[in-house]
Amino acid sequence: MTRRYLAAFAAGLALTVSACGGGGAGTGSDGAGSGGAADGDITVGVAMPTQTSERWIADGNNVKAGLEAAGYKVDLQYANDDIPTQSQQIDQMITKGDDLLIVAAIDGTALTSQLSAAKAAGIEVISYDRLIRGSADVDFYVSFDNYNVGVQQGTSVLQGLGLLNPDGSPGTATGPFNVELFAGSLDDNNAQFFWNGAMDTMKPFIDSGKVVVKSGQTSIDQAAILRWQQETAQRRMEDLLTSAYNDGSKVDGVLSPYDGISRGIITALQNAGYGGGGQAMPIISGQDAEIASVKLINDGVQYATVFKDTRKLAEQAVTASSAILEGNEPEANDTETYDNGVKVVPSYLLESEIVTKDNIKSALIDTDYYTQAEVDAGQAS
């Protein structure tokens, strides 16, 4: 995320929070809040999973900027995809007496004891984007409509192949097309939602024979990429090419749930001659609109990504935090979908958008997410 937008985001959120301070949602009965941002004495612990993804760096920066603009102190920690490190960081936040926790979990099943300790200390917990499972002590969840993200990923592959038109009507292509399937990390609750949305969308085309998974690897267990790692995805794509495409057949499309995975897939395909010598690059989906992948889309290498505007997610996390810290219930727009195995967690879900080369400008540049120069360079300033 660019520095210029981060400053504007924080300033805009400060105005939003202050505008809500007149006795409406997020304030105490006296209209001043029950120990809210005005005292400047409240600390929010923010636990993010990793700094190896630009998406999570942007999330951490945006949440921190928004909370500080609202008058809170912020204890932001990154765990570099190491579960014990994140557990220890959250333990320390509780011991130090942080007043609220916002947690984007590395492993959604590994924080039960930490959340139990938070509950005992009277600290509420907001699960951020990745649902924390197996605990009754998750108070709120902010995320995107993750099933619909999967629908959009599957749809983008089908549109790129010509099986669907942009308006959702049947395309003129008939196939059959060879498509391989990738899924996210099984310890991330979102991975199953992405997979279900994508597979529900693609299944009719698989059943009709218009889409063929030549490797036969059609279960999420076979397709999953641990920790969403680019290198792991590259190795799997290389193995698929060796085992299923050594007869001269070609890959026409790849369902990928995340831009980093997409880049690993692309590297394997390019090493095998795709994208050069008259051999077209397959249609490849993605997620998160990472700048390196946006450049690949602009250059015609990756076909699409699903853009989840994490500025809005951070803003919603701050809004929910302010409500909780002021003694109110945060607004939920979904109270049925996200069952973590112990309870249905009240949630606020945001919408996402398919981005292809045709709408990079309207979706990402005109909204100040990136500049044209950043897209051209494949690097955010």
Side-chain angles (χ1 to χ4, degrees):
M1 193 66 60
T2 59
R3 291 185 181 89
R4 80 182 183 292
Y5 183 82
L6 195 59
F9 169 80
L13 189 54
L15 290 173
T16 301
V17 172
S18 63
C20 292
T27 62
S29 59
D30 60 357
S34 54
D39 14 31
D41 239 354
I42 295 175
T43 299
V44 180
V46 180
M48 289 285 158
T50 183
Q51 288 177 299
T52 61
S53 165
E54 68 184 50
R55 179 264 157 101
W56 290 113
I57 295 171
D59 277 87
N61 289 340
N62 285 338
V63 171
K64 183 175 187 290
L67 288 168
E68 289 176 342
Y72 302 112
K73 296 177 182 176
V74 181
D75 180 8
L76 172 61
Q77 301 289 332
Y78 288 91
N80 297 319
D81 272 331
D82 184 70
I83 297 167
T85 297
Q86 186 168 65
S87 299
Q88 183 181 44
Q89 288 171 343
I90 295 172
D91 284 334
Q92 290 171 347
M93 290 173 182
I94 296 167
T95 300
K96 288 185 296 184
D98 288 359
D99 299 279
L100 176 74
L101 299 180
I102 298 174
V103 179
I106 297 169
D107 183 335
T109 65
L111 297 174
T112 304
S113 63
Q114 281 71 31
L115 267 61
S116 178
K119 181 73 170 182
I123 303 169
E124 294 196 36
V125 176
I126 296 174
S127 187
Y128 185 94
D129 201 39
R130 295 175 171 180
L131 183 64
I132 299 172
R133 298 189 53 78
S135 173
D137 302 320
V138 184
D139 297 287
F140 199 69
Y141 180 46
V142 293
S143 189
F144 292 84
D145 184 340
N146 293 310
Y147 178 86
N148 191 55
V149 170
V151 169
Q152 290 173 326
Q153 289 168 349
T155 297
S156 68
V157 172
L158 296 172
Q159 288 177 345
L161 292 171
L163 291 167
L164 286 178
N165 294 320
D167 63 1
S169 63
T172 57
T174 58
F177 295 108
N178 292 324
V179 177
E180 295 300 330
L181 310 173
F182 283 70
S185 190
L186 293 181
D187 54 13
D188 183 343
N189 189 67
N190 288 350
Q192 188 75 59
F193 280 93
F194 301 150
W195 177 263
N196 289 344
M199 294 307 294
D200 287 350
T201 302
M202 298 182 70
K203 188 175 186 300
F205 296 88
I206 295 172
D207 290 346
S208 71
K210 293 180 180 180
V211 168
V212 177
V213 183
K214 193 167 186 292
S215 68
Q217 297 187 14
T218 58
S219 74
I220 190 172
D221 291 335
Q222 293 171 312
I225 301 299
L226 182 64
R227 301 284 185 270
W228 307 83
Q229 288 295 312
Q230 180 172 331
E231 296 80 6
T232 306
Q234 179 180 339
R235 287 194 297 272
R236 179 168 183 262
M237 190 71 240
E238 289 168 347
D239 291 343
L240 292 174
L241 291 171
T242 300
S243 62
Y245 294 89
N246 56 5
D247 58 357
S249 57
K250 298 299 180 183
V251 183
D252 299 303
V254 184
L255 173 73
S256 170
Y258 160 60
D259 286 342
I261 289 176
S262 306
R263 294 195 296 275
I265 292 166
I266 288 167
T267 298
L269 290 166
Q270 288 175 330
N271 289 344
Y274 287 85
Q279 177 59 49
M281 182 64 68
I283 299 299
I284 302 170
S285 63
Q287 180 182 185
D288 285 344
E290 292 193 340
I291 188 61
S293 288
V294 174
K295 175 175 170 51
L296 290 173
I297 293 169
N298 200 44
D299 292 345
V301 179
Q302 182 173 323
Y303 178 72
T305 188
V306 175
F307 174 44
K308 304 190 307 187
D309 193 339
T310 55
R311 300 170 299 188
K312 296 179 181 178
L313 183 61
E315 183 176 348
Q316 191 57 45
V318 174
T319 299
S321 297
S322 295
I324 291 171
L325 291 168
E326 293 170 359
N328 296 292
E329 292 289 331
E331 177 189 359
N333 62 9
D334 187 304
T335 56
E336 299 179 356
T337 304
Y338 285 89
D339 186 336
N340 75 350
V342 177
K343 65 183 284 190
V344 176
V345 183
S347 307
Y348 194 98
L349 306 181
L350 297 158
E351 293 302 315
S352 52
E353 178 180 6
I354 297 173
V355 173
T356 66
K357 185 173 183 177
D358 291 340
N359 66 333
I360 286 175
K361 184 177 186 301
S362 61
L364 301 176
I365 297 172
D366 291 349
T367 62
D368 288 334
Y369 199 77
Y370 296 126
T371 66
Q372 184 67 59
E374 288 171 330
V375 170
D376 293 341
Q379 185 173 354
S381 59

